[in-house]
Amino acid sequence: MEFIIMEKSPFFAIGFIAGLFLVFIVCFIIRIVSVKLLKKSKKQFEYDERQMAARGKASTIGFTVLCFWQILTMCIDISFGTLFMTPALWNFCGLIAGITAFVITCIWKDAYFTQSNKKTGFIIFIIIMTIINIVIFFINGGINKAITEEGLLGTPFTNLFAAIMLLIITINLIIKICKDKKNDTEA
């Protein structure tokens, strides 16, 4: 098995922050364009009061999951030292666990989409993002190059774990859509 030695470098952190910033800029631009297009077609693009309340509860659930994850990883680190993942990857997993809890709660409480959002387009987008994350993982060397010298899962696994998170969200969304369609046909 081939191991990659990852030296600590401020340039890696700068590159990571720049990439994250770029993702936020692209998402912000997509959001602005979407809002402008929906306003032109006079479609509703706002959450109702019930959805806002459900999103608030979902935020609390997501934050609580993140807090429990951080406490768990702190206890593991204090008790056993760093186990099978780098600290950065542990923190990333906590972040995606909180986000996943928030999104799944919103999906099941019908608070993730507004009246004008198209679910099919969103599912296709998530599937594309899942595939991109998996491809990036393998471009970065896959499992062989993502394991550190100490035998820990390294930061290249962030893409694979993000893909898993997106897959979990997609599965929940598809199940919820099927359940809603079944309930509509029975009613």
Side-chain angles (χ1 to χ4, degrees):
M1 179 181 280
E2 183 180 326
F3 295 104
I4 187 166
I5 299 172
M6 304 223 19
E7 295 182 27
K8 297 195 185 275
S9 167
F11 296 109
F12 179 80
I14 291 168
F16 181 80
I17 291 169
L20 194 59
F21 186 66
L22 182 64
V23 168
F24 281 119
I25 288 173
V26 169
C27 289
F28 182 73
I29 290 170
I30 290 171
R31 174 79 175 178
I32 288 174
V33 170
S34 297
V35 169
K36 296 241 185 234
L37 290 175
L38 288 172
K39 282 186 178 179
K40 282 183 181 178
S41 64
K42 303 206 188 289
K43 291 185 177 180
Q44 184 182 358
F45 195 70
E46 298 197 8
Y47 295 102
D48 60 30
E49 291 176 15
R50 183 201 56 78
Q51 288 177 312
M52 291 301 289
R55 290 175 70 81
K57 289 177 184 173
S59 296
T60 302
I61 291 169
F63 179 73
T64 304
V65 167
L66 174 61
C67 289
F68 277 121
W69 183 272
Q70 291 304 109
I71 291 168
L72 173 70
T73 58
M74 181 183 66
C75 291
I76 289 172
D77 189 49
I78 290 169
S79 301
F80 307 106
T82 302
L83 290 180
F84 68 88
M85 285 194 275
T86 61
L89 193 57
W90 276 106
N91 287 325
F92 180 76
C93 287
L95 179 66
I96 62 174
I99 291 170
T100 304
F102 167 78
V103 172
I104 289 173
T105 303
C106 286
I107 287 170
W108 286 98
K109 300 225 180 242
D110 292 320
Y112 194 71
F113 296 101
T114 63
Q115 297 297 326
S116 62
N117 289 131
K118 301 232 184 297
K119 294 175 186 170
T120 307
F122 183 74
I123 291 172
I124 292 169
F125 175 75
I126 287 183
I127 291 170
I128 291 169
M129 289 297 106
T130 303
I131 293 168
I132 289 172
N133 273 292
I134 292 170
V135 167
I136 290 172
F137 173 73
F138 285 108
I139 286 174
N140 286 334
I143 293 173
N144 292 334
K145 295 206 176 190
I147 298 178
T148 67
E149 188 177 79
E150 298 84 25
L152 302 173
L153 303 182
T155 52
F157 274 93
T158 56
N159 293 103
L160 186 61
F161 291 162
I164 292 168
M165 173 195 74
L166 292 171
L167 188 61
I168 291 168
I169 290 169
T170 304
I171 290 168
N172 272 275
L173 186 56
I174 291 170
I175 291 170
K176 175 69 168 134
I177 290 170
C178 292
K179 183 180 179 226
D180 287 347
K181 283 184 181 180
K182 182 180 177 186
N183 290 342
D184 288 344
T185 55
E186 288 176 359

